[in-house]
Amino acid sequence: MTKKPILILVGTTEGRHLAYQASQRSDVQAIASLAGRTRRPDPPIANTRFGGFGGVSGLRDYLQDQGIEALIDATHPFAAQISIHALLAAREVGIPHLRLSRPPWVPQPGDCWRSVSSNAEAAECLPEVAQRVFLTIGRQELATFASLQQLWFLMRMIDPPQQTTAIPPGEILLARGPFSLEDERSLLRTYQIGAIVSKNSGGEATYAKLVAAREIGIPVVMVQRPTMPEMETVSDIQQVLTWLDGL
């Protein structure tokens, strides 16, 4: 059986697991593309490339040069640019395209969420929400909050920010999820956190902070996902594997 070359854009835990499972199949030759710095993905993926493509045209050229027959976008829910590039490139080449995107979180009884459309909007409203803030947006947009010198921030991220990045006053905490509910409760109380700022990324790895906020009774400023163009989308790995069966 001739294996069909497929490209999987990986930017989430689900994406890594999908790429691994796809690499075990006898009907496809899966290539996983990782834009980040992680050189040893877990689980390990046989065919892996690192780095970007150079926009829509670069991705289109790669798809054509490699003879890719299907493109799966399993990037982060907030990685709107690469998702749009993937959709456009797949259309230009004329190959099937599918997006894997885990469902967003939804507020539960007892939650006190303030929905905003961007980090800038979150920063604008924070002074009227709390004085001590747990900032869980990663390291890329810390500068958006740097002008809030009257507030104090606990900033959790996986990797430290670049030295040239402007950051708000407070403390940086380097940690990788998943995080337990007990640990999140303890963290909020130890640092006397009055509000959380979070992206609505979905998934289980960092959901415990929202449960802890609900139990303690503190508000969450929730940055909602960017608007995406209409495209075929599924929410779990099994749906992707079923889609592959139909190629």
Side-chain angles (χ1 to χ4, degrees):
M1 178 187 296
T2 302
K3 292 188 174 185
K4 294 182 179 180
I6 66 169
L7 179 64
I8 305 174
L9 305 179
V10 176
T12 60
T13 300
E14 294 89 348
R16 293 194 297 274
H17 284 277
L18 167 64
Y20 174 77
Q21 291 187 41
S23 71
Q24 306 303 302
R25 293 172 63 112
S26 61
D27 57 337
V28 299
Q29 179 186 359
I31 302 171
S33 175
L34 284 75
R37 299 179 179 179
T38 302
R39 296 288 171 174
R40 296 181 180 178
D42 182 23
I45 307 165
N47 298 316
T48 306
R49 70 173 299 280
F50 297 93
F53 293 94
V56 177
S57 60
L59 179 52
R60 179 198 62 216
D61 292 344
Y62 180 87
L63 296 175
Q64 292 175 328
D65 293 345
Q66 299 298 316
I68 301 298
E69 297 186 27
L71 174 58
I72 299 170
D73 173 14
T75 57
H76 193 273
F78 280 79
Q81 185 178 66
I82 183 59
S83 290
I84 293 171
H85 288 178
L87 175 64
L88 296 176
R91 284 178 177 174
E92 288 187 19
V93 177
I95 61 174
H97 167 275
L98 184 70
R99 185 169 185 243
L100 170 62
S101 181
R102 59 197 179 207
W105 296 314
V106 295
Q108 303 298 312
D111 284 334
C112 179
W113 287 13
R114 182 164 180 167
S115 292
V116 296
S117 61
S118 66
N119 285 305
E121 189 178 342
E124 185 177 352
C125 77
L126 271 180
E128 63 186 61
V129 176
Q131 293 298 304
R132 295 178 65 84
V133 180
F134 185 23
L135 193 59
T136 63
I137 60 165
R139 63 189 179 121
Q140 298 297 327
E141 295 194 57
L142 291 177
T144 305
F145 299 84
S147 64
L148 299 175
Q149 293 295 307
Q150 74 275 33
L151 306 185
W152 185 93
F153 292 85
L154 177 64
M155 298 161 274
R156 184 166 69 190
M157 61 204 75
I158 296 173
D159 298 308
Q162 296 182 353
Q163 292 185 350
T164 56
T165 300
I167 62 174
E171 180 178 332
I172 290 175
L173 176 62
L174 301 180
R176 182 189 296 270
F179 303 104
S180 71
L181 177 56
E182 181 180 357
D183 287 343
E184 297 292 66
R185 280 198 210 100
S186 175
L187 183 147
L188 296 180
R189 288 173 173 147
T190 298
Y191 286 93
Q192 300 179 328
I193 297 299
I196 296 174
V197 177
S198 174
K199 292 180 177 180
N200 196 338
S201 301
E204 296 296 326
T206 61
Y207 183 68
K209 67 187 175 188
L210 304 180
V211 179
R214 182 189 311 144
E215 291 182 354
I216 295 173
I218 64 175
V220 176
V221 178
M222 186 66 75
V223 182
Q224 298 302 333
R225 297 181 180 187
T227 302
M228 298 293 293
E230 213 40 58
M231 66 183 78
E232 186 176 2
T233 303
V234 296
S235 60
D236 63 56
I237 292 174
Q238 186 54 54
Q239 290 174 297
V240 180
L241 298 177
T242 301
W243 182 81
L244 284 175
D245 290 338
L247 292 180

